[in-house]
Amino acid sequence: MALDPAVPAELAELLRRHHVQPVHRLGQNFLVDPQVRDRIAVASGIRAGDTVLEVGAGPGALSLALAPRAGRLVCVEIDRRLIAVLRETLAGQSNVELLEGDVLTLPLPAAAV
């Protein structure tokens, strides 16, 4: 079973295993409350056919809750160290696309903008 990055102890394990420490200049303050994460996902109003663009996916806490609701989830993360974490967190989510780079300069898929 995959670790849930919204659970503080599991996030710590994921980050330790991937040798990642948050970089606060990048605004990396990770969501560590599963109940808040789930309320955000419900409040988003995402439906099965929607394409969702998540900017700054971090370790994937919110992504885990958005992916089952969306038809397609495009996660953009500027920190290349977190791409491996996202791959682990979102393994098995066939509707998720991971993009590494700055969302302001990255060519995004047409349907995601």
Side-chain angles (χ1 to χ4, degrees), residues 1 5-6 10 12-13 17 40 43 50-51 58-60 67 69 84 95 103 108-110 113:
M1 180 175 178
E10 295 183 28
E13 172 60 21
R17 191 172 32 207
I40 291 169
D50 291 345
T51 295
R69 290 175 160 73
N95 64 328
V103 72
L108 298 173
V113 291

Side-chain angles (χ1 to χ4, degrees), residues 59-70:
L62 185 57
S63 310
L64 271 179
L66 297 178
R69 290 175 160 73

Side-chain angles (χ1 to χ4, degrees), residues 4-101:
D4 183 349
V7 176
E10 295 183 28
L11 172 62
E13 172 60 21
L14 271 169
L15 296 180
R16 183 197 63 74
R17 191 172 32 207
H18 290 277
H19 309 288
V20 174
Q21 291 187 355
V23 177
H24 292 286
R25 72 174 173 77
L26 293 177
Q28 291 177 336
N29 294 286
F30 302 136
L31 177 60
V32 290
D33 186 325
Q35 292 178 349
V36 170
R37 180 255 328 264
D38 294 342
R39 288 197 316 254
I40 291 169
V42 169
S44 72
I46 295 169
R47 293 173 295 179
D50 291 345
T51 295
V52 177
L53 175 64
E54 182 183 10
V55 177
L62 185 57
S63 310
L64 271 179
L66 297 178
R69 290 175 160 73
R72 179 176 176 215
L73 175 61
V74 179
C75 299
V76 179
E77 179 53 56
I78 196 169
D79 187 344
R80 73 175 34 140
R81 301 167 312 142
L82 289 173
I83 296 297
V85 177
L86 280 165
R87 283 191 184 112
E88 179 179 341
T89 300
L90 299 171
Q93 302 288 337
S94 61
N95 64 328
V96 175
E97 181 179 349
L98 301 178
L99 299 176
E100 178 190 333

